[in-house]
Amino acid sequence: MPESIPKAFISSLTAHFGEDTADRVLKALETATSVSIRLNPRKSAHVLPTKRRVPWAAQGYLLDSRPNYALDPCFHGGSYYVQDSSSMVLELLLNRCAPPRQGTYLDACAAPGGKSTILLDYLDGEGFLVANEVDGKRNAVLRENLMKWGHLNHGITSLSTDRFKDSDARFDVILIDAPCSGEGMFRKDAFARSQWSEELIDSCIRTQQNILQDLIPALKDDGLLIYATCTMNRKENEEQILHLLDTGTFELANPDLSDLKDFVLPALHGNAIIGHYLLPGISTGEGLFIAALKKKGSSESDPSSSIVHRLKNADQAFERTFPSLTPFALHFWEWKEENYGIQNAAYAPDVFYKRLGLPCYQIKGKDVIPMHGLAMMESNIDHLAVDHENALRYLRKESIYLPHEMPKGWYLISYEGIKLGWLKAIGTRTNNYYPNGLRLRI
Ligand code: SAM
């Protein structure tokens, strides 16, 4: 029996948007949830059967039904991310606000990582993204998703937001996709309906204000603040933006999205657009609020101390073993004898990272062992194509049957052009180096 829609929510939705819009939203909440994916522009050889595009996202597609992603090897190779189409509006907002790519970006509430993948695609190899997630379990999912996405210009932290206030890290762009009462998820998530209450909204408002207060000092003058929630009430959205404007520190920077007026509603205060809503029944996806603000002031902020002085160059043994791969990363971070490749480390602020860049290699005795991040990143290394059955065997960490006996050495296994991971051929046998933690268990 699905959890019913709270009556107090229906009243507040109607008061907020008017009867017609509220009716459309409420009707949509009784229909099947939307399904959409965003292709990885660096890996999009494979497209699930779909022709319906998300109007505001170049790589976004709407699916007719939910496939079993776990049985699609391309999903494990990071060829696409399963993401609500409303969230993809961040791509449009970035393109229209056009913050400089040579900068330092923070995704303050990042797990499971969907919006971080959009930020990384926007950066397109320039600048640096700090993806922060305070919750340990969710942070592990974030690390996995960003490893699959394959970009080297990011680091992952697990800090409470007040730690940024106390650091000298300064950001050109901060995204706060804030914890919220989740009204926009009512169709997708019965738990969101059951836990909804006025008290929950009040506690979310306090958390959102704390996060905002902690991070405002970390935004550079003239920097861009993007605030988003997956809820639909004024208190967590418009009122938070109005509160920020009242401080005198910010001005609105919302782009004109009127070309999408059939899908995206402006959140108005007088004549001013203080944000935008994507609503179920009106847009193609679930509920989302998003707003962009610019921090006033033009003084040059002191640059953050960079992590770069704590990094090293590639080991010669690695360069000898994988000569075609060495130019990609300028710096390496060593953690527990694992070496992580990083791009644009000069933009990486000196904060406490859980991971920096992507895991590339370990040195064991005389051997250089390639790591999974090296398989996930863009590279021109040859790969060994396998069929669907062998791709799944590989992802389950079973032995796979090679087409013929291969010379001893390391091979990148691929399916439909998407790299899945490393394999070592030893005469007639192979050793499967797919990471234990990612092993497919079905
Ligand atoms: N941006 C993510 C994405 O696109 O995949 C979704 C983020 S989700 C809406 C909000 C996140 O904020 C959750 O992962 C949650 O663990 C985190 N969070 C909860 N309380 C927090 C707090 N007090 N400070 C910072 N983050 C918090």
Side-chain angles (χ1 to χ4, degrees):
M1 182 74 181
E3 196 72 37
S4 61
I5 310 270
K7 286 212 171 59
F9 162 73
I10 297 176
S11 316
S12 104
L13 188 76
T14 311
H16 189 184
F17 295 104
E19 246 172 54
D20 282 357
T21 302
D23 271 0
R24 287 173 72 183
V25 173
L26 292 168
K27 278 204 186 89
L29 293 185
E30 302 308 327
T31 62
T33 185
S34 60
V35 186
S36 45
I37 56 168
R38 206 171 63 81
L39 301 184
N40 187 334
R42 294 187 173 185
K43 302 189 181 193
S44 46
H46 168 91
V47 187
L48 290 169
T50 171
K51 289 199 174 60
R52 287 194 299 142
R53 301 188 82 130
V54 177
W56 46 90
Q59 307 290 333
Y61 288 86
L62 299 158
L63 308 189
D64 294 330
S65 59
R66 195 175 180 84
N68 190 344
Y69 301 112
L71 294 180
D72 179 5
C74 295
F75 170 71
H76 301 280
S79 163
Y80 57 90
Y81 188 90
V82 181
Q83 185 169 47
D84 175 37
S85 56
S86 298
S87 295
M88 298 177 199
V89 78
L90 173 63
E91 173 185 324
L92 182 70
L93 190 128
L94 286 166
N95 284 329
R96 294 205 177 163
C97 291
R101 289 182 166 85
Q102 296 89 348
T104 305
Y105 286 42
L106 172 66
D107 185 354
C109 310
K115 295 196 184 64
S116 287
T117 65
I118 297 178
L119 290 164
L120 285 167
D121 289 344
Y122 176 75
L123 287 173
D124 194 21
E126 299 189 62
F128 192 87
L129 171 70
V130 177
N132 179 64
E133 171 55 48
V134 68
D135 179 287
K137 272 198 184 143
R138 291 176 64 86
N139 192 285
V141 179
L142 173 69
R143 295 197 299 261
E144 188 184 312
N145 284 334
L146 294 195
M147 176 152 66
K148 287 202 285 188
W149 211 247
H151 292 232
L152 292 155
N153 56 334
H154 80 273
I156 295 184
T157 55
S158 190
L159 302 170
S160 69
T161 46
D162 58 349
R163 296 278 298 279
F164 288 99
K165 187 173 63 184
D166 300 337
S167 81
D168 77 350
R170 292 292 173 269
F171 298 93
D172 299 272
V173 175
I174 297 182
L175 168 65
I176 300 177
D177 188 17
C180 68
S181 59
E183 295 165 355
M185 294 291 117
F186 275 4
R187 176 161 63 173
K188 218 174 201 164
D189 183 359
F191 179 67
R193 292 183 183 198
S194 67
Q195 67 156 5
W196 185 91
S197 67
E198 297 286 356
E199 293 72 41
L200 176 68
I201 293 180
D202 288 342
S203 114
C204 289
I205 292 169
R206 283 193 295 278
T207 307
Q208 291 152 1
Q209 283 174 349
N210 288 339
I211 296 174
L212 285 162
Q213 289 316 312
D214 287 343
L215 294 178
I216 290 170
L219 185 64
K220 289 183 188 169
D221 278 1
D222 212 31
L224 186 69
L225 174 68
I226 304 172
Y227 176 80
T229 71
C230 60
T231 205
M232 303 186 267
N233 70 72
R234 278 188 63 83
K235 292 186 195 167
E236 294 177 72
N237 297 328
E238 285 94 324
E239 288 181 21
Q240 298 288 26
I241 302 304
L242 290 171
H243 188 68
L244 287 173
L245 293 173
D246 280 349
T247 62
T249 315
F250 287 97
E251 60 196 49
L252 292 169
N254 292 303
D256 180 4
L257 302 184
S258 55
D259 51 323
L260 291 165
K261 63 181 177 335
D262 292 343
F263 303 102
V264 182
L265 303 181
L268 294 170
H269 181 71
N271 288 331
I273 296 177
I274 57 174
H276 286 97
Y277 276 102
L278 287 90
L279 299 176
I282 291 161
S283 197
T284 53
E286 308 307 311
L288 179 108
F289 172 82
I290 193 158
L293 298 144
K294 198 154 239 196
K295 193 170 177 183
K296 288 184 188 166
S298 52
S299 63
E300 282 279 299
S301 308
D302 290 337
S304 328
S305 333
S306 156
I307 193 85
V308 79
H309 67 277
R310 295 213 244 137
L311 304 176
K312 64 178 213 181
N313 298 327
D315 288 282
Q316 283 180 357
F318 173 66
E319 292 185 335
R320 274 197 305 273
T321 316
F322 294 99
S324 72
L325 288 179
T326 42
F328 70 89
L330 291 177
H331 293 99
F332 284 84
W333 178 67
E334 199 172 347
W335 182 77
K336 293 191 176 174
E337 296 176 3
E338 296 175 349
N339 294 284
Y340 285 66
I342 303 157
Q343 261 172 355
N344 310 337
Y347 291 105
D350 193 357
V351 290
F352 182 78
Y353 290 96
K354 274 229 162 262
R355 297 288 187 280
L356 254 174
L358 294 180
C360 287
Y361 66 93
Q362 285 177 293
I363 296 188
K364 292 202 168 154
K366 285 194 206 132
D367 293 333
V368 175
I369 317 286
M371 293 184 69
H372 197 57
L374 199 57
M376 293 294 101
M377 63 178 228
E378 206 172 21
S379 72
N380 56 5
I381 195 165
D382 287 344
H383 36 110
L384 183 66
V386 295
D387 61 14
H388 189 259
E389 186 191 337
N390 273 304
L392 289 182
R393 289 181 68 84
Y394 175 76
L395 295 168
R396 292 184 181 117
K397 274 187 86 73
E398 295 166 3
S399 355
I400 68 165
Y401 308 113
L402 294 176
H404 43 81
E405 192 173 318
M406 308 289 295
K408 282 183 187 177
W410 291 104
Y411 293 93
L412 255 180
I413 295 298
S414 73
Y415 171 71
E416 293 204 354
I418 302 298
K419 294 163 202 150
L420 302 179
W422 293 100
L423 180 98
K424 193 171 190 185
I426 314 164
T428 52
R429 281 191 310 113
T430 60
N431 282 342
N432 186 329
Y433 275 75
Y434 194 62
N436 275 325
L438 300 184
R439 180 179 175 184
L440 181 61
R441 291 176 198 278
I442 55 170

PDB file of all heavy atoms in Angstrom, residues 81 107-115 133-135 138 161 177-179 207 211, ligand 1:
ATOM      1  N   TYR A  81      25.344   7.655 -16.305  1.00  0.00           N
ATOM      2  CA  TYR A  81      24.965   7.773 -14.895  1.00  0.00           C
ATOM      3  C   TYR A  81      23.440   7.816 -14.849  1.00  0.00           C
ATOM      4  O   TYR A  81      22.816   8.504 -15.645  1.00  0.00           O
ATOM      5  CB  TYR A  81      25.557   9.068 -14.313  1.00  0.00           C
ATOM      6  CG  TYR A  81      25.386   9.190 -12.816  1.00  0.00           C
ATOM      7  CD1 TYR A  81      26.354   8.696 -11.938  1.00  0.00           C
ATOM      8  CD2 TYR A  81      24.252   9.794 -12.278  1.00  0.00           C
ATOM      9  CE1 TYR A  81      26.184   8.793 -10.563  1.00  0.00           C
ATOM     10  CE2 TYR A  81      24.092   9.899 -10.904  1.00  0.00           C
ATOM     11  CZ  TYR A  81      25.062   9.392 -10.058  1.00  0.00           C
ATOM     12  OH  TYR A  81      24.886   9.491  -8.693  1.00  0.00           O
ATOM     13  N   ASP A 107      31.619  20.912  -4.563  1.00  0.00           N
ATOM     14  CA  ASP A 107      30.275  20.323  -4.453  1.00  0.00           C
ATOM     15  C   ASP A 107      30.174  19.902  -2.984  1.00  0.00           C
ATOM     16  O   ASP A 107      30.763  18.896  -2.565  1.00  0.00           O
ATOM     17  CB  ASP A 107      30.171  19.120  -5.404  1.00  0.00           C
ATOM     18  CG  ASP A 107      28.759  18.537  -5.430  1.00  0.00           C
ATOM     19  OD1 ASP A 107      27.914  18.986  -4.632  1.00  0.00           O
ATOM     20  OD2 ASP A 107      28.512  17.625  -6.240  1.00  0.00           O
ATOM     21  N   ALA A 108      29.441  20.697  -2.196  1.00  0.00           N
ATOM     22  CA  ALA A 108      29.536  20.576  -0.733  1.00  0.00           C
ATOM     23  C   ALA A 108      28.771  19.380  -0.181  1.00  0.00           C
ATOM     24  O   ALA A 108      29.113  18.868   0.885  1.00  0.00           O
ATOM     25  CB  ALA A 108      29.010  21.862  -0.087  1.00  0.00           C
ATOM     26  N   CYS A 109      27.725  18.958  -0.873  1.00  0.00           N
ATOM     27  CA  CYS A 109      26.879  17.834  -0.413  1.00  0.00           C
ATOM     28  C   CYS A 109      26.785  16.893  -1.602  1.00  0.00           C
ATOM     29  O   CYS A 109      25.794  16.914  -2.326  1.00  0.00           O
ATOM     30  CB  CYS A 109      25.493  18.330  -0.030  1.00  0.00           C
ATOM     31  SG  CYS A 109      25.486  19.742   1.080  1.00  0.00           S
ATOM     32  N   ALA A 110      27.825  16.083  -1.828  1.00  0.00           N
ATOM     33  CA  ALA A 110      28.026  15.548  -3.179  1.00  0.00           C
ATOM     34  C   ALA A 110      27.469  14.154  -3.439  1.00  0.00           C
ATOM     35  O   ALA A 110      27.212  13.818  -4.591  1.00  0.00           O
ATOM     36  CB  ALA A 110      29.518  15.569  -3.513  1.00  0.00           C
ATOM     37  N   ALA A 111      27.315  13.308  -2.406  1.00  0.00           N
ATOM     38  CA  ALA A 111      26.932  11.914  -2.689  1.00  0.00           C
ATOM     39  C   ALA A 111      25.459  11.815  -3.080  1.00  0.00           C
ATOM     40  O   ALA A 111      24.654  12.592  -2.565  1.00  0.00           O
ATOM     41  CB  ALA A 111      27.195  11.051  -1.460  1.00  0.00           C
ATOM     42  N   PRO A 112      25.111  10.872  -3.969  1.00  0.00           N
ATOM     43  CA  PRO A 112      25.987   9.858  -4.573  1.00  0.00           C
ATOM     44  C   PRO A 112      26.863  10.357  -5.726  1.00  0.00           C
ATOM     45  O   PRO A 112      27.689   9.604  -6.221  1.00  0.00           O
ATOM     46  CB  PRO A 112      24.991   8.804  -5.072  1.00  0.00           C
ATOM     47  CG  PRO A 112      23.718   9.559  -5.314  1.00  0.00           C
ATOM     48  CD  PRO A 112      23.675  10.661  -4.302  1.00  0.00           C
ATOM     49  N   GLY A 113      26.717  11.593  -6.168  1.00  0.00           N
ATOM     50  CA  GLY A 113      27.711  12.122  -7.096  1.00  0.00           C
ATOM     51  C   GLY A 113      27.169  12.580  -8.437  1.00  0.00           C
ATOM     52  O   GLY A 113      27.938  13.028  -9.294  1.00  0.00           O
ATOM     53  N   GLY A 114      25.846  12.507  -8.629  1.00  0.00           N
ATOM     54  CA  GLY A 114      25.291  12.872  -9.940  1.00  0.00           C
ATOM     55  C   GLY A 114      25.680  14.283 -10.356  1.00  0.00           C
ATOM     56  O   GLY A 114      26.112  14.509 -11.490  1.00  0.00           O
ATOM     57  N   LYS A 115      25.535  15.236  -9.431  1.00  0.00           N
ATOM     58  CA  LYS A 115      25.823  16.622  -9.836  1.00  0.00           C
ATOM     59  C   LYS A 115      27.327  16.840  -9.952  1.00  0.00           C
ATOM     60  O   LYS A 115      27.768  17.663 -10.746  1.00  0.00           O
ATOM     61  CB  LYS A 115      25.152  17.600  -8.880  1.00  0.00           C
ATOM     62  CG  LYS A 115      23.624  17.474  -8.965  1.00  0.00           C
ATOM     63  CD  LYS A 115      22.881  18.604  -8.365  1.00  0.00           C
ATOM     64  CE  LYS A 115      21.381  18.348  -8.412  1.00  0.00           C
ATOM     65  NZ  LYS A 115      20.950  17.173  -7.598  1.00  0.00           N
ATOM     66  N   GLU A 133      31.447  14.891   0.872  1.00  0.00           N
ATOM     67  CA  GLU A 133      30.263  14.226   1.427  1.00  0.00           C
ATOM     68  C   GLU A 133      30.589  13.803   2.856  1.00  0.00           C
ATOM     69  O   GLU A 133      31.501  13.020   3.092  1.00  0.00           O
ATOM     70  CB  GLU A 133      29.878  13.006   0.580  1.00  0.00           C
ATOM     71  CG  GLU A 133      28.805  12.126   1.185  1.00  0.00           C
ATOM     72  CD  GLU A 133      27.511  12.865   1.552  1.00  0.00           C
ATOM     73  OE1 GLU A 133      26.990  13.625   0.727  1.00  0.00           O
ATOM     74  OE2 GLU A 133      27.049  12.689   2.716  1.00  0.00           O
ATOM     75  N   VAL A 134      29.822  14.336   3.798  1.00  0.00           N
ATOM     76  CA  VAL A 134      30.151  14.142   5.208  1.00  0.00           C
ATOM     77  C   VAL A 134      29.802  12.731   5.686  1.00  0.00           C
ATOM     78  O   VAL A 134      30.485  12.182   6.559  1.00  0.00           O
ATOM     79  CB  VAL A 134      29.445  15.240   6.054  1.00  0.00           C
ATOM     80  CG1 VAL A 134      27.937  15.086   6.079  1.00  0.00           C
ATOM     81  CG2 VAL A 134      30.013  15.323   7.457  1.00  0.00           C
ATOM     82  N   ASP A 135      28.806  12.114   5.084  1.00  0.00           N
ATOM     83  CA  ASP A 135      28.364  10.789   5.535  1.00  0.00           C
ATOM     84  C   ASP A 135      29.302   9.713   4.973  1.00  0.00           C
ATOM     85  O   ASP A 135      29.479   9.621   3.756  1.00  0.00           O
ATOM     86  CB  ASP A 135      26.921  10.578   5.052  1.00  0.00           C
ATOM     87  CG  ASP A 135      26.360   9.226   5.443  1.00  0.00           C
ATOM     88  OD1 ASP A 135      26.774   8.199   4.833  1.00  0.00           O
ATOM     89  OD2 ASP A 135      25.520   9.194   6.346  1.00  0.00           O
ATOM     90  N   ARG A 138      27.856   7.120   2.374  1.00  0.00           N
ATOM     91  CA  ARG A 138      27.530   7.783   1.112  1.00  0.00           C
ATOM     92  C   ARG A 138      28.807   8.255   0.415  1.00  0.00           C
ATOM     93  O   ARG A 138      28.885   8.290  -0.805  1.00  0.00           O
ATOM     94  CB  ARG A 138      26.572   8.953   1.362  1.00  0.00           C
ATOM     95  CG  ARG A 138      25.177   8.486   1.801  1.00  0.00           C
ATOM     96  CD  ARG A 138      24.268   9.640   2.137  1.00  0.00           C
ATOM     97  NE  ARG A 138      23.956  10.497   1.026  1.00  0.00           N
ATOM     98  CZ  ARG A 138      22.961  10.303   0.151  1.00  0.00           C
ATOM     99  NH1 ARG A 138      22.158   9.282   0.288  1.00  0.00           N
ATOM    100  NH2 ARG A 138      22.760  11.141  -0.832  1.00  0.00           N
ATOM    101  N   THR A 161      30.756  20.905   7.065  1.00  0.00           N
ATOM    102  CA  THR A 161      30.991  22.147   6.312  1.00  0.00           C
ATOM    103  C   THR A 161      31.726  23.201   7.138  1.00  0.00           C
ATOM    104  O   THR A 161      32.412  24.059   6.576  1.00  0.00           O
ATOM    105  CB  THR A 161      29.659  22.707   5.769  1.00  0.00           C
ATOM    106  OG1 THR A 161      28.679  22.664   6.813  1.00  0.00           O
ATOM    107  CG2 THR A 161      29.172  21.902   4.588  1.00  0.00           C
ATOM    108  N   ASP A 177      23.841  21.351  -2.810  1.00  0.00           N
ATOM    109  CA  ASP A 177      22.637  20.564  -3.127  1.00  0.00           C
ATOM    110  C   ASP A 177      22.182  20.031  -1.764  1.00  0.00           C
ATOM    111  O   ASP A 177      22.528  18.935  -1.353  1.00  0.00           O
ATOM    112  CB  ASP A 177      23.024  19.441  -4.096  1.00  0.00           C
ATOM    113  CG  ASP A 177      21.814  18.700  -4.626  1.00  0.00           C
ATOM    114  OD1 ASP A 177      20.694  19.231  -4.521  1.00  0.00           O
ATOM    115  OD2 ASP A 177      21.994  17.578  -5.133  1.00  0.00           O
ATOM    116  N   ALA A 178      21.397  20.834  -1.084  1.00  0.00           N
ATOM    117  CA  ALA A 178      21.252  20.699   0.374  1.00  0.00           C
ATOM    118  C   ALA A 178      20.349  19.537   0.788  1.00  0.00           C
ATOM    119  O   ALA A 178      19.403  19.193   0.074  1.00  0.00           O
ATOM    120  CB  ALA A 178      20.669  21.998   0.917  1.00  0.00           C
ATOM    121  N   PRO A 179      20.650  18.952   1.961  1.00  0.00           N
ATOM    122  CA  PRO A 179      19.697  17.998   2.532  1.00  0.00           C
ATOM    123  C   PRO A 179      18.378  18.735   2.763  1.00  0.00           C
ATOM    124  O   PRO A 179      18.379  19.897   3.163  1.00  0.00           O
ATOM    125  CB  PRO A 179      20.346  17.569   3.852  1.00  0.00           C
ATOM    126  CG  PRO A 179      21.405  18.568   4.143  1.00  0.00           C
ATOM    127  CD  PRO A 179      21.790  19.210   2.846  1.00  0.00           C
ATOM    128  N   THR A 207      19.502  23.204   9.139  1.00  0.00           N
ATOM    129  CA  THR A 207      20.709  22.580   8.557  1.00  0.00           C
ATOM    130  C   THR A 207      21.162  23.366   7.329  1.00  0.00           C
ATOM    131  O   THR A 207      22.359  23.648   7.156  1.00  0.00           O
ATOM    132  CB  THR A 207      20.407  21.112   8.145  1.00  0.00           C
ATOM    133  OG1 THR A 207      19.862  20.441   9.266  1.00  0.00           O
ATOM    134  CG2 THR A 207      21.636  20.390   7.658  1.00  0.00           C
ATOM    135  N   ILE A 211      24.772  25.214   6.787  1.00  0.00           N
ATOM    136  CA  ILE A 211      25.684  24.900   5.666  1.00  0.00           C
ATOM    137  C   ILE A 211      26.015  26.187   4.906  1.00  0.00           C
ATOM    138  O   ILE A 211      27.185  26.474   4.597  1.00  0.00           O
ATOM    139  CB  ILE A 211      25.054  23.840   4.723  1.00  0.00           C
ATOM    140  CG1 ILE A 211      24.876  22.513   5.470  1.00  0.00           C
ATOM    141  CG2 ILE A 211      25.892  23.655   3.476  1.00  0.00           C
ATOM    142  CD1 ILE A 211      24.119  21.438   4.683  1.00  0.00           C
TER     143      ILE A 211
HETATM  144  N1  SAM B   1      24.371  16.281  -4.870  1.00  0.00           N
HETATM  145  C1  SAM B   1      24.025  14.883  -4.728  1.00  0.00           C
HETATM  146  C2  SAM B   1      23.833  14.296  -6.104  1.00  0.00           C
HETATM  147  O1  SAM B   1      23.502  15.021  -7.059  1.00  0.00           O
HETATM  148  O2  SAM B   1      24.042  13.085  -6.254  1.00  0.00           O
HETATM  149  C3  SAM B   1      22.830  14.688  -3.806  1.00  0.00           C
HETATM  150  C4  SAM B   1      23.014  15.320  -2.471  1.00  0.00           C
HETATM  151  S1  SAM B   1      21.754  14.982  -1.306  1.00  0.00           S
HETATM  152  C5  SAM B   1      20.465  15.943  -1.875  1.00  0.00           C
HETATM  153  C6  SAM B   1      22.296  15.866   0.110  1.00  0.00           C
HETATM  154  C7  SAM B   1      23.542  15.311   0.773  1.00  0.00           C
HETATM  155  O3  SAM B   1      23.854  16.171   1.886  1.00  0.00           O
HETATM  156  C8  SAM B   1      23.426  13.899   1.330  1.00  0.00           C
HETATM  157  O4  SAM B   1      24.382  13.079   0.722  1.00  0.00           O
HETATM  158  C9  SAM B   1      23.680  14.051   2.820  1.00  0.00           C
HETATM  159  O5  SAM B   1      24.453  12.998   3.371  1.00  0.00           O
HETATM  160  C10 SAM B   1      24.436  15.361   2.905  1.00  0.00           C
HETATM  161  N2  SAM B   1      24.264  16.047   4.217  1.00  0.00           N
HETATM  162  C11 SAM B   1      23.382  15.774   5.187  1.00  0.00           C
HETATM  163  N3  SAM B   1      23.550  16.611   6.241  1.00  0.00           N
HETATM  164  C12 SAM B   1      24.559  17.416   5.933  1.00  0.00           C
HETATM  165  C13 SAM B   1      25.211  18.470   6.604  1.00  0.00           C
HETATM  166  N4  SAM B   1      24.818  18.866   7.807  1.00  0.00           N
HETATM  167  N5  SAM B   1      26.239  19.074   5.990  1.00  0.00           N
HETATM  168  C14 SAM B   1      26.621  18.688   4.752  1.00  0.00           C
HETATM  169  N6  SAM B   1      26.024  17.685   4.056  1.00  0.00           N
HETATM  170  C15 SAM B   1      25.010  17.067   4.638  1.00  0.00           C
END
